[in-house]
């Protein structure tokens, strides 16, 4: 198994980035709202800033994911991996608008530098409104299919356009 020790650093950085982004957005909303009277400023600063943060944070993550993927495409070695395990499960019922579709892929590949056989497991979480995307991903990469990978040192990532879960930018 290929484990990058920086994963925990990325998780911590994601949490700190989320807290800083939320704080900055709330301060910006409070600054904008301070031009109005005090009651409007309180309501808009709190709820408007919170809603803005919640709605825009996924886009910030998307930009981070695109940047990380572009960086890996420049510096990493492309490798074809073979899917050895794939699966799809739904948390909560399929009829719930809050259901989460989880697509799990486990691949094996030969490391380009060392020649050692490695494996990587990844789980993609998608909301109910992206059910067709989850099923298409599973259909595109069944067991035995090849999947493009980017490998650099101890880090390896799927070369897919899909952004994974919120703490998963590598």
């Amino acid at each position: 198994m290929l484990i990058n020790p920086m994963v925990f650093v990325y998780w911590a950085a994601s949490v700190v980035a989320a807290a800083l982004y939320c704080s900055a957005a709330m301060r910006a909303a409070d600054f904008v709202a301070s031009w109005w009277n005090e009651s409007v400023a309180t309501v808009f600063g709190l709820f408007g800033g919170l809603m803005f943060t919640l709605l825009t944070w996924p886009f910030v993550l998307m930009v981070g994911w695109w940047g990380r993927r572009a960086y890996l495409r420049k510096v990493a070695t492309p490798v074809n991996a073979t899917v050895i395990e794939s699966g799809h499960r739904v948390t909560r019922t399929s009829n719930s608008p809050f259901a989460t579709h989880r697509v799990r892929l486990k691949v094996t590949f030969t490391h380009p530098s060392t020649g050692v056989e490695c494996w990587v497991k990844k789980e993609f979480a998608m909301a109910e409104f992206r059910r067709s995307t989850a099923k298409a991903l599973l259909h595109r990469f069944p067991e035995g299919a090849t999947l493009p990978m980017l490998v650099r040192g101890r880090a390896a990532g799927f070369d897919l356009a899909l952004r994974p879960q919120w703490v998963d930018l590598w």
Side-chain angles (χ1 to χ4, degrees), residues 7 18 31 44-45 48 53 57 77 99 103 107 117 123 150 168:
V7 167
F31 177 73
F44 180 76
T53 302
W57 179 243
T77 306
V103 177
V107 300
E117 191 74 19
E123 185 172 294
L150 298 169
D168 235 358

Side-chain angles (χ1 to χ4, degrees), residues 22 25-26 29 43-56:
C22 182
M26 295 293 282
V43 172
F44 180 76
L46 181 64
F47 296 115
L50 187 60
M51 289 305 296
F52 177 80
T53 302
L54 291 175
L55 292 174
T56 58

